[in-house]
Amino acid sequence: MSNTAATAPEISHPSQLPAVDKVLLAIEMQMLRESYGLDACTKAVRDVLTGLRQQLLGFADQPGQTLQADIGSIVQAAQRQLQARFAPRLQPVFNLTGTVLHTNLGRALLPQAAIDAVVQAMSSPANLEYDLEDGSRGDRDDLVESLICELTGAEAATVVNNNAAAVLLVLSTMATGKEVVVSRGELVEIGGAFRIPDVMTRAGARLVEIGTTNRTHEKDYAEAIGENTAALMKVHCSNYAITGFTKAVSDADVARIAHDSNLPMIVDLGSGTLIDMRDWGLPYEVTVRETVESGADIVTFSGDKLLGGPQAGIIVGRKELIARIKKNPLKRALRVGKITLAALEPTLRLYLNPEKLAQELTTLRLFTRKASDMQTQAEQLQPLLQQALGQDYVVETAAMNSQIGSGALPVENLPSFGLRIYPASGKQAGRQLTRLEARFRGLPRPVIGRLHDDALWLDLRCLENPAQALFAAQLSRLA
C-alpha cells in the first residue's frame, strides 16, 4: 500500500498478510468496532485484505515486487471504507447557483415553523387519521383542507405526493376511456422527460390536440367537443414562454365553453402561488384563487415550488368532483404521509398573516433579498476566498441575475450579487475551472456554483446568516 508509513513491512505473498481475526482484535480497531459494530468492521477488513491479496497475486510475474502493509495500515484502509459506507448520501450543500427553487438541490427550503412541526410529528404519535372530537377514525385531508380552501376560495381540496400525481389522479378519475381537449401549445414537458401526453395515456385518457404551437382560438375548443369528451384542460406553461405572434384562450373563456357543454374545466397550474407576487415587488404569476374564480372546476399545483412548502400535489375545486377523486383507488397509492402534512399545515398558516410572510416563509424571503445586502456579503467574502485560492485565480465581486427556478417564471430574473472567479492565466481556463468546481464540491459542506462565460459564478442570494459563517470557515480547505 503505497501510502503506508515507511516502517510498515514489505510483503510479497498473500500468506504474509495478517488474519482477519488478528486485525479485528488490534487495539486500533477498538474505536471502529464501537462506532460501526463487529459485522461492518469484519466486512471492511475482509474487503481490504481481499484487495491486497489480489494485488500480491498480480505480482506473480513481477519478481521482487512488494507492497508495504501492516495491521495499522489495514485498519486505516478499513476505516476509510467504513466512513464512506456509513456517510449519508443526502447531505446539505450551499446552493450558490442563482436558482432559488433548484430541482436538483431540493427545491423549497421549509420555514422554521414547518421544521419544528416535522420534528414533533417524527418523534411522537399524532392524530393523522383520528378525530379528537368524537374519537373515531378521521380523514388525513381534514388536517389541511379548510386552510387550503380558505386560501384558494375552492369548495374542497385533497393532497397527494406531487403535482404529477395530482394530474394523473384527476385524469384517471374524470377521463378514463374518454377524450380531454388541450391546446397544442400547452403540451409541456417538465424535468425528467415527464410529458403531459404521457400522463394522459397512463391515466387512460385520450388526448385531443387543438390549435397550433403558437395560436389557439375559442372555436378550436368548441369544435373539438364531441360525445366522448370528458373535459377541457388548460396547462400553465410555467417552464417556458412563447412570444411574438401568439394567441391563447383565457381560463375564463375555456371554462365558459366547457360549461356551455356541461363539461368540467381542469387547470394544471404547476408552480401554483397563493399570493399576488407583485405585492412583494416580484413578477406577476397567476394565483390559485384567480384560477378558481375564473371558473375552473379542478386546479392542481405543487407544494414545494412557489408555495414554499414540502413536496406535494394539491388538488382544489368543486366539492362533488373532489369527492369523486378521493374515492379513486389510486388516491391511497398517491396519498401523503404525516411528515408531509406536518410540514404543509404550518406553511399554509403563514399565509394567514401576509404582513410577516416575507420574513417567515423562507422561499419568499430569498426571493425578496436586497441586492445591496448580497453585495455587502460579497465584499466580506472576496478577500477570504482570494486568500484561499491564491494567485492562480482572480476573485471579483459582481452583479448577477438569479432566477426563481423549478419551471416558475422562466424568463424573469431577480437582480442579485455574488462572486466571479476565473483563472489568472488564460491557459486551459476550461480545465482549470472544472477542477476548481470539483474542489468546491469536495468541501465538507459542498458548494454548488455555476460555470458560465469562462468563470465560476457564486450567487449569494441563498446564502443567509448564519450559513455565511460556515461557508467562510471552510474556505481555507480550498488551499
Side-chain angles (χ1 to χ4, degrees):
M1 303 178 70
S2 58
N3 60 343
T4 57
T7 55
E10 293 189 356
I11 60 177
S12 59
H13 193 271
S15 63
Q16 296 174 279
L17 292 171
V20 173
D21 289 347
K22 189 172 182 179
V23 179
L24 290 171
L25 292 173
I27 295 176
E28 298 95 325
M29 284 295 300
Q30 184 174 346
M31 289 185 62
L32 295 180
R33 289 177 59 176
E34 291 176 357
S35 298
Y36 300 106
L38 178 58
D39 287 349
C41 287
T42 301
K43 181 182 185 304
V45 170
R46 282 178 176 161
D47 288 346
V48 172
L49 290 173
T50 296
L52 292 174
R53 288 192 191 96
Q54 290 173 347
Q55 274 188 273
L56 290 167
L57 291 172
F59 296 161
D61 56 352
Q62 303 176 42
Q65 184 71 30
T66 63
L67 57 80
Q68 288 182 313
D70 61 4
I71 287 179
S73 65
I74 292 169
V75 171
Q76 289 176 7
Q79 181 178 15
R80 288 192 292 271
Q81 280 202 18
L82 289 163
Q83 288 171 340
R85 181 183 176 191
F86 281 84
R89 298 297 185 265
L90 184 65
Q91 56 182 307
V93 303
F94 287 112
N95 174 15
L96 305 189
T97 63
T99 301
V100 179
L101 298 174
H102 200 299
T103 298
N104 303 126
L105 300 181
R107 291 185 180 164
L109 299 181
L110 293 179
Q112 189 59 48
I115 295 170
D116 294 341
V118 167
V119 171
Q120 186 177 50
M122 290 191 297
S123 57
S124 67
N127 60 319
L128 178 63
E129 290 186 355
Y130 186 81
D131 190 322
L132 293 173
E133 290 189 6
D134 60 18
S136 61
R137 179 169 181 167
D139 184 336
R140 62 183 66 193
D141 282 338
D142 291 345
L143 299 172
V144 293
E145 184 175 20
S146 61
L147 264 174
I148 294 171
C149 291
E150 180 179 355
L151 294 169
T152 64
E155 294 179 4
T158 187
V159 183
V160 290
N161 53 29
N162 60 34
N163 188 54
V167 175
L168 176 68
L169 182 60
V170 168
L171 293 173
S172 171
T173 303
M174 300 174 60
T176 296
K178 295 188 175 183
E179 298 174 347
V180 177
V181 178
V182 184
S183 169
R184 184 172 283 109
E186 297 174 3
L187 297 177
V188 302
E189 175 182 314
I190 61 175
F194 180 91
R195 299 175 172 181
I196 286 293
D198 295 338
V199 179
M200 287 193 173
T201 299
R202 294 297 181 183
R206 189 167 75 84
L207 168 66
V208 176
E209 298 181 28
I210 59 169
T212 62
T213 301
N214 60 318
R215 292 178 71 82
T216 300
H217 303 271
E218 290 184 27
K219 67 175 184 177
D220 294 323
Y221 284 96
E223 291 173 358
I225 295 174
E227 60 181 17
N228 203 36
T229 303
L232 305 188
M233 185 173 180
K234 290 275 289 179
V235 181
H236 185 50
C237 302
S238 58
N239 62 355
Y240 74 98
I242 299 176
T243 60
F245 187 59
T246 63
K247 168 68 177 178
V249 184
S250 70
D251 290 351
D253 286 333
V254 175
R256 173 180 51 78
I257 295 168
H259 298 161
D260 285 346
S261 296
N262 295 317
L263 294 172
M265 199 266 272
I266 302 166
V267 177
D268 171 16
L269 270 184
S271 301
T273 179
L274 299 179
I275 55 173
D276 187 337
M277 297 174 66
R278 293 172 295 187
D279 293 342
W280 284 268
L282 296 168
Y284 171 71
E285 178 85 340
V286 63
T287 68
V288 180
R289 179 179 289 275
E290 288 172 331
T291 307
V292 171
E293 291 175 349
S294 73
D297 301 286
I298 289 291
V299 183
T300 71
F301 56 100
S302 295
D304 59 340
K305 295 183 181 178
L306 294 178
L307 193 148
Q311 178 178 298
I314 302 173
I315 308 171
V316 302
R318 285 168 36 199
K319 190 171 184 178
E320 65 271 20
L321 294 178
I322 295 294
R324 282 178 55 194
I325 289 168
K326 292 177 70 169
K327 290 178 181 178
N328 188 321
L330 272 180
K331 173 61 165 65
R332 182 175 179 84
L334 302 174
R335 70 182 182 179
V336 296
K338 67 174 183 178
I339 305 304
T340 299
L341 290 168
L344 182 58
E345 182 186 4
T347 301
L348 293 170
R349 288 195 187 283
L350 294 179
Y351 284 88
L352 300 178
N353 187 356
E355 290 80 5
K356 290 186 176 181
L357 190 61
Q359 290 76 44
E360 301 294 335
L361 186 67
T362 307
T363 296
L364 186 58
R365 188 171 69 243
L366 294 176
F367 288 163
T368 56
R369 288 195 71 194
K370 295 179 180 178
S372 58
D373 292 342
M374 291 175 268
Q375 182 175 1
T376 300
Q377 278 184 293
E379 291 168 352
Q380 294 170 347
L381 292 170
Q382 186 274 336
L384 300 177
L385 187 52
Q386 184 67 76
Q387 181 181 4
L389 293 178
Q391 298 180 351
D392 292 338
Y393 294 91
V394 177
V395 182
E396 297 178 341
T397 62
M400 50 192 72
N401 289 312
S402 303
Q403 60 181 3
I404 287 175
S406 286
L409 298 166
V411 298
E412 303 289 349
N413 290 319
L414 306 175
S416 186
F417 220 90
L419 298 164
R420 178 174 176 264
I421 310 167
Y422 57 92
S425 169
K427 297 179 180 179
Q428 297 183 328
R431 188 173 300 177
Q432 290 188 65
L433 287 170
T434 299
R435 288 198 296 263
L436 178 62
E437 184 189 32
R439 286 163 65 185
F440 273 102
R441 293 199 314 271
L443 290 171
R445 183 164 179 173
V447 175
I448 314 298
R450 180 170 59 95
L451 287 176
H452 172 69
D453 197 19
D454 297 325
L456 176 62
W457 299 74
L458 302 181
D459 189 310
L460 300 180
R461 178 170 293 277
C462 294
L463 186 67
E464 295 186 293
N465 286 319
Q468 179 181 338
L470 178 59
F471 172 81
Q474 67 173 5
L475 290 180
S476 60
R477 292 175 177 261
L478 288 169

